């Protein structure tokens, strides 16, 4: 079965602390994974995708096929990082996305 | 990226009426758009894939006769919720798929059925 699991509903850290948002997936093919972010009262937007290997806003994510994970990391969290983060798996030739349930990141001052 | 708009941003209707939601790709010609539904404090659930000039592909469990999708042009897809009931109240979001396999999302439409 194709599935994306984000085990944490809420993650609360202090400013400057490291952050890791967990994402595990289940997919029989070669996975293509994304992280989307939704800031308060804004639309969902792409943060990064694994094939681009970019670091966006200080966030990185490495695909680990052995552990079927795609955790999102940032060494020093900022207050403006507070948002809802969704991990997503692209399925099929039409580019359908399967989303995890999301993790709300709260960065306290 | 692609700029995506939705109209209306929120709508309130009576039970039994039909509601049409528009999704427009303002600067990109989209052959593929997607419609999602988001329940409060929950994730996005893919409802259907909207293909320009052909029938939409619905996900399992989504009633195609209730959620009518039309993608008549490369810049417009519409979702019509027919004979709406209170359980259809939700946040409906569309997205545009680009040629480089990224999706750009609309701001969403809040539907409330009384």
């Amino acid at each position: 079965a194709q599935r994306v699991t984000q085990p944490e509903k809420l993650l609360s850290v202090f400013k400057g602390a490291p952050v890791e948002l967990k994402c595990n997936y289940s997919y029989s093919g070669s996975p293509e994974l994304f992280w989307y972010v939704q800031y308060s009262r804004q639309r969902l937007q792409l943060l990064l995708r694994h094939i681009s290997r970019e670091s966006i806003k200080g966030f990185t994510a490495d695909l680990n096929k052995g552990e079927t994970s795609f955790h999102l990391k940032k060494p020093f969290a900022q207050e403006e990082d507070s948002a809802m983060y969704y991990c997503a798996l692209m399925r099929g030739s039409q580019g359908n996305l399967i989303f995890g349930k999301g993790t709300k990141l709260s960065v306290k001052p | 990226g692609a700029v995506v708009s939705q109209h209306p941003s929120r709508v309130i209707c009576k039970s039994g009426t039909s509601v049409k939601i528009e999704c427009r790709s303002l600067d990109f010609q989209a052959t593929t758009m997607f419609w999602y539904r988001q329940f409060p404090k929950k994730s996005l659930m893919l409802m259907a894939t909207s293909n320009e000039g052909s029938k939409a592909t619905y996900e399992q469990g989504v009633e195609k006769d209730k959620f009518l999708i039309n993608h008549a042009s490369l810049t417009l897809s519409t979702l019509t919720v027919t004979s709406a009931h209170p359980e259809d109240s939700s946040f409906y979001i569309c997205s545009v798929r680009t040629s480089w396999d990224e999706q750009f999302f609309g701001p969403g439409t809040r539907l409330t059925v009384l």
Side-chain angles (χ1 to χ4, degrees):
Chain A
Q2 301 150 353
R3 191 183 299 124
V4 176
T5 304
Q6 292 179 250
E8 303 138 330
K9 279 189 179 179
L10 172 66
L11 186 62
S12 186
V13 301
F14 285 102
K15 176 183 171 182
V19 169
E20 182 178 65
L21 299 165
K22 291 183 168 42
C23 172
N24 288 90
Y25 67 90
S26 173
Y27 188 63
S28 56
S30 184
E32 185 155 359
L33 288 144
F34 303 77
W35 276 99
Y36 281 84
V37 60
Q38 189 169 27
Y39 299 101
S40 180
R41 299 177 189 271
Q42 293 188 28
R43 69 185 70 191
L44 205 63
Q45 56 185 286
L46 178 67
L47 182 61
L48 53 82
R49 59 189 300 187
H50 89 269
I51 61 170
S52 65
R53 293 184 165 273
E54 287 181 326
S55 171
I56 307 293
K57 299 186 179 184
F59 284 97
T60 59
D62 290 317
L63 177 62
N64 185 322
K65 290 187 179 181
E67 295 182 358
T68 61
S69 68
F70 188 56
H71 303 327
L72 183 68
K73 300 178 184 179
K74 185 170 182 176
F76 307 104
Q78 303 299 314
E79 288 180 68
E80 54 265 29
D81 296 329
S82 295
M84 197 74 186
Y85 291 80
Y86 294 96
C87 182
L89 169 71
M90 190 165 81
R91 173 194 79 185
S93 59
Q94 287 196 308
N96 301 357
L97 289 177
I98 301 170
F99 282 88
K101 292 186 176 182
T103 298
K104 184 175 181 179
L105 174 64
S106 175
V107 182
K108 298 177 180 177
Chain B
V3 180
V4 183
S5 70
Q6 281 184 241
H7 178 80
S9 58
R10 59 177 67 217
V11 57
I12 301 173
C13 70
K14 291 182 179 179
S15 187
T17 60
S18 294
V19 174
K20 181 187 281 189
I21 302 169
E22 292 184 349
C23 176
R24 291 186 184 273
S25 177
L26 300 182
D27 58 353
F28 184 84
Q29 295 191 319
T31 55
T32 304
M33 294 184 178
F34 299 96
W35 285 97
Y36 295 86
R37 185 172 175 176
Q38 187 175 33
F39 294 94
K41 300 187 179 181
K42 295 206 172 181
S43 188
L44 283 80
M45 182 192 80
L46 179 65
M47 298 175 67
T49 303
S50 173
N51 303 298
E52 187 266 335
S54 64
K55 290 183 180 179
T57 305
Y58 289 83
E59 294 298 300
Q60 194 172 15
V62 178
E63 297 176 62
K64 62 180 180 181
D65 294 330
K66 180 164 188 62
F67 298 100
L68 301 178
I69 291 172
N70 184 279
H71 192 158
S73 79
L74 290 171
T75 58
L76 174 64
S77 175
T78 60
L79 168 68
T80 301
V81 183
T82 62
S83 187
H85 289 285
E87 57 265 30
D88 299 325
S89 298
S90 194
F91 197 56
Y92 292 88
I93 304 171
C94 71
S95 72
V96 163
R97 180 194 182 192
T98 64
S99 52
W100 56 98
D101 276 341
E102 288 181 11
Q103 287 191 30
F104 291 87
F105 288 81
T109 296
R110 170 80 58 199
L111 170 63
T112 303
V113 185
L114 303 176

